[in-house]
């Protein structure tokens, strides 16, 4: 049963037949792990907190730098030098004190991912390097947890929702180890609204999943910010992928 304060706070959600009071109660009981509190993780976490997702775990070992402030909307000039997860948790608690927030000031590793992916309902990969993305993808598949991966650089962004039990490719199918690592916002620059768009899409997909709506599993959605156009492509499973296909798949 929602309290009077919750009925008012989440009234816009509750008025929608696609969510309603039952859907809002579901959100309040769910747990999302957000890995990376940079340009993608900031808007994703803000929308999930304000929408009433009951538990958020934030994982990031980085500190706020001056160059982050152009696109990382949870931080201000006074936060430079502070841990991102500490500042993010404080701001998100101010947005919605209903939410139980766990701040983990640690890098994504085998040990941290095994523990925290396993207890979450869905994982958002908001990181910006391939090795970490491979690791997150691997543990989500081993632990059979849905994953929403976002990426952005320049005026372009992409988002991909993955369900380990479904017959589609994974992140490593999209970017095999033999393919040169794509540029990211650190070495190619980024238009600030692009990470806002992609991070918001990650939050939207998480909310869709948590409220039991149909999901675009295995469909790469790419956004070109210069011509304002979305494109979609199915991601097939690679038979040689060490994670989701081939004779060695799923071996730890």
């Amino acid at each position: 049963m929602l309290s009077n304060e919750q009925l008012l706070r989440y009234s816009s959600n509750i008025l929608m037949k696609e969510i309603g009071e039952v859907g809002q109660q579901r959100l309040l009981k769910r747990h999302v792990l957000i890995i990376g509190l940079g340009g993608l993780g900031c808007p994703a976490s803000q929308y999930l907190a304000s929408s009433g997702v009951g538990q958020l775990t934030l994982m990031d070992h980085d500190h706020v730098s001056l160059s982050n402030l152009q696109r990382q909307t949870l931080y201000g000039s006074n936060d430079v030098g502070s841990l991102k997860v500490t500042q993010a948790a404080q701001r998100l608690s101010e947005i919605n004190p209903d939410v139980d927030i766990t701040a983990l000031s640690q890098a994504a590793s085998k040990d941290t991912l095994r523990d925290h992916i396993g207890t979450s309902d869905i994982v958002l990969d908001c990181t910006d390097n391939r090795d970490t993305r491979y690791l997150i993808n691997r543990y989500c598949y081993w632990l059979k947890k849905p994953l929403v991966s976002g990426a952005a650089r320049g005026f372009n962004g992409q988002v991909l929702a993955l369900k380990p039990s479904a017959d589609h490719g994974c992140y490593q199918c999209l970017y095999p180890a033999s393919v040169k690592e794509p540029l990211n916002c650190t070495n190619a620059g980024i238009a600030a609204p692009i990470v806002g768009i992609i991070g918001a899409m990650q939050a939207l997909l998480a909310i869709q999943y948590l409220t039991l709506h149909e999901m675009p599993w295995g469909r790469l959605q790419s956004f070109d910010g210069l011509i304002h156009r979305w494109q979609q492509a199915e991601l097939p499973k690679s038979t040689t992928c060490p994670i989701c296909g081939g004779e060695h798949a799923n071996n730890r």
Side-chain angles (χ1 to χ4, degrees):
M1 179 74 70
L2 299 178
S3 68
N4 288 337
E5 182 177 336
Q6 289 174 325
L7 288 170
L8 182 58
R9 179 184 290 274
Y10 307 121
S11 58
S12 291
N13 282 355
I14 293 167
L15 286 169
M16 292 188 293
K17 62 180 177 60
E18 294 87 353
I19 297 181
E21 188 168 349
V22 171
Q24 189 61 54
Q25 289 173 330
R26 286 188 61 83
L27 289 177
L28 287 164
K29 295 176 181 178
R30 295 300 177 260
H31 177 196
V32 178
L33 171 62
I34 302 173
I35 306 171
L37 270 296
L40 298 171
C42 283
S45 63
Q46 284 173 287
Y47 281 118
L48 291 175
S50 62
S51 297
V53 172
Q55 185 177 354
L56 296 179
T57 295
L58 314 176
M59 183 183 294
D60 196 311
H61 69 293
D62 201 7
H63 294 75
V64 179
S65 68
L66 188 61
S67 63
N68 296 152
L69 303 185
Q70 169 252 12
R71 64 194 178 279
Q72 299 183 14
T73 54
L74 284 174
Y75 316 121
S77 297
N78 292 336
D79 299 322
V80 171
S82 301
L83 280 166
K84 289 183 178 179
V85 288
T86 303
Q87 300 308 114
Q90 179 179 327
R91 300 283 150 65
L92 295 172
S93 294
E94 292 169 358
I95 290 172
N96 189 354
D98 261 358
V99 181
D100 180 10
I101 299 172
T102 301
L104 304 173
S105 56
Q106 51 195 214
S109 68
K110 292 180 179 180
D111 291 336
T112 58
L113 292 178
R114 183 187 300 112
D115 292 342
H116 297 291
I117 288 177
T119 59
S120 66
D121 292 300
I122 188 168
V123 178
L124 269 56
D125 179 354
C126 301
T127 62
D128 62 1
N129 72 83
R130 182 185 283 185
D131 287 342
T132 303
R133 291 178 180 276
Y134 279 166
L135 201 59
I136 295 167
N137 179 73
R138 183 182 309 146
Y139 274 91
C140 283
Y141 269 75
W142 284 343
L143 297 170
K144 302 187 186 307
K145 296 291 182 176
L147 168 65
V148 180
S149 177
R153 69 178 185 273
F155 278 93
N156 299 285
Q158 65 182 40
V159 63
L160 176 65
L162 300 170
K163 184 179 182 181
S165 61
D167 189 23
H168 57 64
C170 68
Y171 180 81
Q172 197 152 339
C173 294
L174 179 63
Y175 292 114
S178 59
V179 175
K180 182 179 178 181
E181 182 171 10
L183 297 173
N184 57 42
C185 62
T186 302
N187 52 32
I190 183 71
I194 297 297
V195 285
I197 291 167
I198 300 301
M201 279 291 293
Q202 289 182 271
L204 177 60
L205 286 164
I207 290 169
Q208 282 180 243
Y209 174 74
L210 296 173
T211 53
L212 306 181
H213 288 284
E214 185 176 348
M215 290 284 289
W217 298 118
R219 195 178 305 157
L220 180 66
Q221 302 183 68
S222 302
F223 179 67
D224 186 329
L226 285 177
I227 59 175
H228 302 174
R229 180 181 298 168
W230 285 94
Q231 293 183 314
Q232 296 189 11
E234 301 294 333
L235 177 61
K237 181 180 292 188
S238 170
T239 57
T240 60
C241 177
I243 304 302
C244 71
E247 62 181 17
H248 300 298
N250 296 320
N251 286 341
R252 305 188 189 188

